[in-house]
C-alpha cells in the first residue's frame, strides 16, 4: 500500500480502537477539533437530546469564516461551464462575501431563523452560495432535484412550507435551455392560494428573459449588488435543523429528511477527510447534483468545512465530445474524483481509448456512490481511470445517514473489488435474518445499524412518527437501512441492493408507491405495480404492470401505455419514466390481497420457472399469463 496517504493501517487502528473503547470521548474530541463553536459542547451523545446538544455553532461560519485568517486567498470553488473558456474561480474570501450578501438578501425577504427556503437550480455557483446563505441565518434549505416535475416540486414546497424559492431563469445543456423558472411558476400555480412562498429569487444563468410576477419575483443579481457583505452568522444549537432534503421511501409520499447542525457537520467533515484522504492541495470533484444528499455532504459541507478546493462542472460526461469529464480532470488537475456507477458504466461503454487521450496522472483517489458497483465497472475505474494506482472508495450510505458509513479508507484498509469494505469508525452494521435475528460471521441478510453516529438524521419533517416506524420499527433496536448486504469472513461488506419497495435507477431513489400513486390518477386503470429489474447501465430499470378496468374498448387500452409514461413524467419527473409498461389482466396476489412483487420482478426479468410454491396465491393462473405477456414484449 502506498505510504502517501494520511492514514496507515496502524494509525487507523488507533482511531477505530479509540472509538470502540470510548465513543463519547472520541466524538467529543472530533467535534471540538473539526469545528469552531460559539459554545463548545460538553457532551457528544445524549440519548434524549441528540449530538453535541449543549453546543452552539454556525455551519456557514465553519465552512467559510474560519478559513479566512490563514486561507482566505485559497480557491474554494472552481466552476467549469460547458464551454472550455467558461471558468469561474472563487477564493474563500470571495465566496464568504457572496454568501454574506445572499444571506442579507434573504433577510430582506423576511427569512428568519427556522424558516425554509427552497432551492431549485442547475449546476451554478449560486446553488452552494444559497445553501451557505441559508445556513448563515439559520434558515433550512430544501434543495430540489433539477429533474423534478412541477407537481413534484409543488408537493415538496407545500410540505416544507418554504417562504422563499431560489430558482434560475433557465438551465443550460449545450444549445438547449431547461425552463427552471417556468417549471417553478407552474408548481406555484398548482399551489395557488395555499402557497406559503412569498418571494421567488431568480438567478440569471443566461441572458434569456423570463416573466417576473410583480411583488413576488425578483432577479437576484441587482439585489446582491445592493446588499451589504457583512452578515454575522446566527449561533444555532447543534441540534437545530440545518436542512431538509426529500427522498423516496417504500411507502407513500417522499419524506423530508431533516439533518441537524453539529452532528451532521462533524460527520461530513470526518468522513470527507477519512474516505477521500483529504490533503490541502487536493482538487476535489464530486459530480453529484446538489439536489442529492451526496451534493450536500461532499460538494457543499464536508469539503468546505475542511477548507478544500472543490470543482463544479455544469456539463455532461460525454458532451459535446466523449471524454469531456476526463478533459476537465486533466485541465484542472483534479486529484479526487467521486461519481456514480451509472456514470462509470456509461463512460466505460465508450471504450478505453477515450480516457487514454487525457493525462489523468493528477488523480489520487476515486470514489463511487449511489448504487452497488459491479465488478467490471469497479475494475475499469481502478485500472483505466486510476491507472491501477488510485484506491477506489466505494462508499455506502444514504440520505438518512448524512455521510459515508461503509467505505474503503485509503492507506488504511486493503481493497477488495466491488466491496464497500469495512464500516467507518463509530459505525456498527449488523446483518439480520428475516425474523430479525442477528447473523454472525460470513452471512447475507438485511443491513441494519446499531447505535447512533453523529450524521444520523434527526427526523422526518412534520412526521416524527413516520421516522420511527420507517427506520426503527421493522427491526426493533436497530436502524433499518432498507438494503441487503453480504459480509465475508473478514467482515467486508458487499451491498446487494434494496430489500424494500424502493427502486434505484441510476442512483435515483424511486418509491414504487410514488409511481403507483401517479398512475392511480388514470381512471381507466384499476391497479398497477412498479418493480425494478437489473439494467446494464442504470443498475436498475423501472418496469410497470397495469391492469385496465374490465370492458374497455381496444383503442382506449392501446393508449394506456402512453398515458402512463406521460403521467409519471408530469407527476414525478422524466427521470422516473419506465423502461416498459405491461398491460395485464390482473396482478399476482396473496389470499390476503397483497401484490406479490417478488414474482412480478422475476417475471419482468424474463424468468419462466423456479417461482416456488404458487398455491398460496389467490390467483395462480395469472402467473403463466404474465409470463406470456412479458415474453411477447
Ligand atoms: C448516498 C446515497 C441510498 C441508497 C442506499 C443503497 C444505495 C448508495 C451505495 C448504494 C450500494 C453503494 N447506495 N450507495 N448501494 N453501494 N456504495 O446514495 O443516498 O440517494 O439516499 O440512496 O442508495 O440502496 O440505501 P440516497
Amino acid at each position: 500500500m502506498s505510504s502517501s496517504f494520511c492514514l496507515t493501517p496502524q494509525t487507523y487502528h488507533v482511531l477505530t480502537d479509540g472509538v470502540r473503547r470510548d465513543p463519547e470521548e472520541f466524538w467529543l474530541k472530533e467535534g471540538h477539533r473539526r469545528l469552531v463553536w460559539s459554545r463548545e459542547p460538553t457532551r457528544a451523545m445524549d440519548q434524549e437530546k441528540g449530538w453535541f446538544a449543549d453546543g452552539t455553532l454556525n455551519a456557514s461560519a465553519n465552512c467559510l469564516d474560519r478559513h479566512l485568517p490563514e486561507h482566505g486567498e485559497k480557491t474554494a470553488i472552481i466552476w467549469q461551464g460547458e464551454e472550455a473558456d467558461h471558468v469561474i474561480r472563487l477564493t474563500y474570501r470571495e465566496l464568504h462575501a457572496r454568501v454574506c450578501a445572499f444571506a442579507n438578501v434573504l433577510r430582506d425577504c423576511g427569512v428568519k431563523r427556522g424558516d425554509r427556503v427552497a432551492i431549485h437550480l442547475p449546476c451554478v455557483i449560486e446553488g452552494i452560495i444559497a445553501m451557505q446563505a441559508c445556513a448563515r441565518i439559520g434558515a433550512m434549505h430544501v434543495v430540489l432535484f433539477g429533474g423534478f416535475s412541477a407537481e413534484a416540486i409543488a408537493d415538496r414546497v407545500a410540505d416544507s412550507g418554504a417562504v422563499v424559492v431560489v430558482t434560475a431563469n433557465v438551465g443550460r445543456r449545450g444549445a438547449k435551455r431547461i425552463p427552471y423558472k417556468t417549471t417553478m411558476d407552474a408548481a406555484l400555480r398548482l399551489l395557488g392560494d395555499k402557497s406559503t412562498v412569498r418571494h421567488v429569487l431568480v438567478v440569471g444563468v443566461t441572458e434569456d428573459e423570463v416573466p417576473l410576477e410583480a411583488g413576488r419575483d425578483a432577479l437576484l443579481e441587482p439585489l446582491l449588488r445592493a446588499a451589504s457583505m457583512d452578515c454575522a452568522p446566527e449561533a444555532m444549537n447543534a441540534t437545530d435543523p440545518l436542512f431538509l432534503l426529500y427522498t423516496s421511501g417504500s411507502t407513500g409520499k417522499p419524506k423530508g429528511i431533516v439533518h441537524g447542525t453539529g452532528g451532521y457537520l462533524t460527520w461530513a467533515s470526518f468522513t470527507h477527510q477519512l474516505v477521500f484522504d483529504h490533503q490541502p492541495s487536493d482538487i476535489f470533484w464530486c459530480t453529484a447534483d446538489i439536489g442529492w444528499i451526496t451534493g450536500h455532504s461532499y460538494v457543499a459541507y464536508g469539503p468546505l468545512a475542511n477548507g478544500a478546493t472543490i470543482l463544479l462542472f455544469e456539463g455532461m460526461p460525454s458532451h459535446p465530445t466523449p471524454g469531456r469529464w476526463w478533459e476537465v480532470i486533466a485541465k484542472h488537475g483534479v486529484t479526487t474524483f467521486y461519481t456514480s456507477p451509472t456514470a462509470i458504466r456509461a463512460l466505460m461503454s465508450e471504450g478505453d481509448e477515450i480516457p487514454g487521450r487525457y493525462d489523468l496522472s493528477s488523480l489520487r483517489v476515486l470514489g463511487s456512490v449511489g448504487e452497488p458497483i459491479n465488478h467490471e465497472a469497479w475494475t475499469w475505474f481502478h485500472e483505466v481511470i486510476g491507472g491501477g494506482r488510485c484506491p477506489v472508495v466505494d462508499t455506502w450510505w444514504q440520505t438518512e445517514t448524512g455521510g459515508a458509513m461503509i467505505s474503503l479508507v485509503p492507506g488504511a484498509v486493503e481493497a477488495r473489488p466491488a466491496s464497500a469494505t469495512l464500516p467507518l469508525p463509530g459505525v456498527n452494521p449488523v446483518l439480520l435474518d428475516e425474523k430479525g435475528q442477528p447473523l454472525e460471521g460470513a452471512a447475507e441478510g438485511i443491513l441494519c445499524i446499531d447505535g447512533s453516529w453523529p450524521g444520523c438524521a434527526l427526523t422526518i419533517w412534520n412526521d416524527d412518527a413516520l421516522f420511527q416506524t420507517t427506520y426503527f420499527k421493522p427491526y426493533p433496536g436497530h436502524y433499518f437501512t432498507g438494503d441487503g448486504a453480504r459480509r465475508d469472513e473478514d467482515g467486508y461488506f458487499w451491498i446487494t441492493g434494496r430489500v424494500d419497495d424502493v427502486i434505484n435507477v441510476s442512483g435515483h431513489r424511486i418509491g414504487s408507491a410514488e409511481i403507483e400513486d401517479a398512475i392511480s390518477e388514470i381512471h381507466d386503470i384499476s391497479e398497477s405495480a412498479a418493480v425494478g429489474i437489473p439494467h446494464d447501465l442504470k443498475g436498475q430499470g423501472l418496469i410497470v404492470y397495469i391492469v385496465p378496468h374490465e370492458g374497455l374498448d381496444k383503442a382506449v387500452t392501446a393508449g394506456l401505455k402512453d398515458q402512463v409514461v406521460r403521467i409519471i413524467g408530469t407527476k414525478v419527473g422524466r427521470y422516473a419514466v419506465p423502461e416498459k409498461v405491461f398491460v395485464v389482466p390482473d396482478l399476482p396476489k396473496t389470499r390476503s390481497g397483497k401484490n406479490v412483487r417478488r414474482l412480478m420482478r422475476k417475471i419482468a426479468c424474463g424468468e419462466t420457472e423456479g417461482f416456488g410454491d404458487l398455491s398460496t396465491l389467490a390467483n395462480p393462473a395469472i402467473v403463466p399469463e404474465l409470463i406470456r405477456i412479458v415474453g411477447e414484449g
Side-chain angles (χ1 to χ4, degrees):
M1 229 178 280
S2 160
S3 59
S4 60
F5 299 110
C6 299
L7 284 165
T8 64
Q10 291 74 26
T11 51
Y12 190 58
H13 180 73
V14 174
L15 272 186
T16 47
D17 202 42
V19 73
R20 207 173 299 126
R21 257 186 312 166
D22 192 343
E24 174 66 21
E25 187 198 338
F26 181 90
W27 288 120
L28 196 58
K29 212 160 104 198
E30 284 297 323
H32 283 168
R33 122 186 143 81
R34 296 196 165 273
L35 305 181
V36 288
W37 301 81
S38 36
R39 188 173 71 219
E40 298 255 335
T42 60
R43 291 203 50 194
M45 178 51 185
D46 182 312
Q47 287 289 349
E48 294 279 290
K49 298 186 186 135
W51 283 92
F52 307 112
D54 64 351
T56 65
L57 77 166
N58 181 279
S60 149
N62 268 285
C63 291
L64 304 171
D65 307 44
R66 68 191 284 195
H67 304 311
L68 298 188
E70 281 176 42
H71 304 291
E73 310 325 314
K74 179 172 178 178
T75 303
I77 303 181
I78 305 169
W79 179 89
Q80 170 71 60
E82 249 186 8
E83 285 157 35
D85 59 355
H86 202 177
V87 177
I88 302 171
R89 283 167 195 275
L90 287 185
T91 63
Y92 270 93
R93 200 174 304 288
E94 289 163 334
L95 180 60
H96 173 262
R98 295 227 197 168
V99 167
C100 288
F102 202 126
N104 284 325
V105 170
L106 291 176
R107 278 201 172 132
D108 289 343
C109 289
V111 179
K112 293 188 303 296
R113 191 182 166 117
D115 283 347
R116 275 80 57 214
V117 173
I119 299 172
H120 188 237
L121 287 173
C123 182
V124 287
I125 294 182
E126 285 78 2
I128 308 276
I129 297 176
M131 291 165 83
Q132 290 286 335
C134 289
R136 197 157 189 93
I137 62 172
M140 302 165 67
H141 51 73
V142 187
V143 186
L144 303 168
F145 168 54
F148 284 149
S149 68
E151 294 205 26
I153 293 172
D155 283 349
R156 289 158 178 83
V157 167
D159 185 71
S160 67
V163 293
V164 167
V165 165
V166 183
T167 188
N169 57 345
V170 292
R172 269 182 293 236
R173 194 169 297 154
K176 235 174 101 183
R177 293 289 174 265
I178 300 154
Y180 275 81
K181 173 67 164 61
T182 316
T183 306
M184 185 55 72
D185 285 341
L188 297 181
R189 242 190 333 270
L190 286 168
L191 295 175
D193 294 346
K194 284 194 235 97
S195 173
T196 46
V197 175
R198 297 194 296 261
H199 296 283
V200 176
L201 300 172
V202 183
V203 176
V205 171
T206 61
E207 301 292 314
D208 297 61
E209 290 199 9
V210 287
L212 297 176
E213 191 180 300
R216 189 194 70 177
D217 304 352
L219 290 176
L220 188 67
E221 193 51 38
L223 301 179
L224 286 177
R225 251 181 293 149
S228 153
M229 289 185 197
D230 278 329
C231 178
E234 191 86 17
M236 305 301 287
N237 293 320
T239 53
D240 280 339
L242 177 60
F243 62 84
L244 72 93
L245 181 63
Y246 285 90
T247 188
S248 296
S250 54
T251 47
K253 288 188 310 176
K255 307 172 283 211
I257 299 294
V258 182
H259 275 289
T261 306
Y264 170 81
L265 209 56
T266 302
W267 195 243
S269 158
F270 177 75
T271 54
H272 168 255
Q273 172 122 45
L274 246 67
V275 167
F276 299 104
D277 183 57
H278 170 62
Q279 299 184 12
S281 55
D282 279 345
I283 309 287
F284 184 81
W285 183 14
C286 164
T287 64
D289 185 281
I290 55 161
W292 187 25
I293 189 66
T294 309
H296 283 58
S297 304
Y298 301 115
V299 179
Y301 287 110
L304 294 180
N306 291 341
T309 299
I310 61 169
L311 182 111
L312 296 177
F313 177 51
E314 183 190 38
M316 321 265 281
S318 301
H319 181 87
T321 48
R324 183 72 176 107
W325 270 7
W326 316 129
E327 191 184 330
V328 169
I329 290 176
K331 173 175 172 179
H332 294 288
V334 169
T335 58
T336 322
F337 180 59
Y338 189 32
T339 191
S340 68
T342 288
I344 297 167
R345 286 188 292 262
L347 293 160
M348 181 170 76
S349 71
E350 291 171 351
D352 300 359
E353 192 257 328
I354 306 245
R357 292 180 201 155
Y358 301 93
D359 176 8
L360 302 178
S361 61
S362 58
L363 288 170
R364 292 197 311 115
V365 177
L366 300 173
S368 167
V369 60
E371 330 144 48
I373 183 165
N374 46 317
H375 207 285
E376 196 190 353
W378 190 97
T379 307
W380 184 82
F381 203 31
H382 185 250
E383 297 304 323
V384 178
I385 303 308
R389 70 176 195 283
C390 306
V392 172
V393 296
D394 174 20
T395 61
W396 174 84
W397 59 292
Q398 312 181 291
T399 306
E400 297 86 339
T401 70
M405 299 289 278
I406 303 180
S407 171
L408 185 79
V409 175
V413 171
E414 201 74 59
R416 292 197 183 160
S419 168
T421 76
L422 303 173
L424 292 178
V427 176
N428 301 305
V430 287
L431 293 180
L432 306 181
D433 67 14
E434 291 198 343
K435 294 197 188 82
Q437 291 307 309
L439 299 164
E440 301 300 329
E444 182 164 341
I446 294 153
L447 179 64
C448 289
I449 315 282
D450 280 0
S452 188
W453 63 98
C456 183
L458 301 182
T459 185
I460 292 174
W461 183 247
N462 280 337
D463 205 343
D464 192 57
L466 184 63
F467 186 67
Q468 302 302 333
T469 48
T470 306
Y471 302 108
F472 299 100
K473 210 161 158 208
Y475 299 97
H478 313 277
Y479 163 83
F480 171 55
T481 65
D483 281 317
R486 179 166 69 78
R487 186 177 52 207
D488 73 9
E489 55 287 350
D490 300 321
Y492 275 58
F493 284 87
W494 278 261
I495 309 299
T496 51
R498 302 290 301 198
V499 294
D500 57 6
D501 294 331
V502 172
I503 302 155
N504 189 331
V505 179
S506 301
H508 295 296
R509 272 167 72 163
I510 302 172
S512 47
E514 243 177 299
I515 301 294
E516 293 156 16
D517 275 359
I519 297 174
S520 70
E521 309 249 327
I522 304 174
H523 296 302
D524 292 329
I525 294 177
S526 70
E527 214 188 345
S528 71
V531 296
I533 64 165
H535 186 286
D536 282 349
L537 278 182
K538 302 176 182 173
Q540 279 195 297
L542 184 66
I543 300 293
V544 170
Y545 293 93
I546 54 171
V547 183
H549 279 306
E550 273 177 45
L552 281 187
D553 75 54
K554 274 219 166 92
V556 176
T557 310
L560 285 179
K561 288 189 188 183
D562 285 346
Q563 277 196 55
V564 166
V565 167
R566 228 173 306 127
I567 204 138
I568 294 174
T570 41
K571 294 235 146 228
V572 185
R574 298 278 322 153
Y575 70 96
V577 161
E579 303 289 319
K580 273 226 156 99
V581 180
F582 294 113
V583 181
V584 297
D586 199 1
L587 301 175
K589 287 187 192 306
T590 61
R591 296 233 169 88
S592 58
K594 285 214 183 73
N595 288 339
V596 188
R597 286 175 194 281
R598 180 184 58 81
L599 268 180
M600 290 191 268
R601 225 174 277 134
K602 283 184 171 229
I603 295 172
C605 289
E607 291 181 32
T608 54
E609 52 189 23
F611 299 141
D613 182 11
L614 299 180
S615 66
T616 55
L617 293 184
N619 52 350
I622 193 61
V623 172
E625 190 65 5
L626 291 191
I627 293 172
R628 184 185 61 77
I629 294 168
V630 169
E632 285 169 3

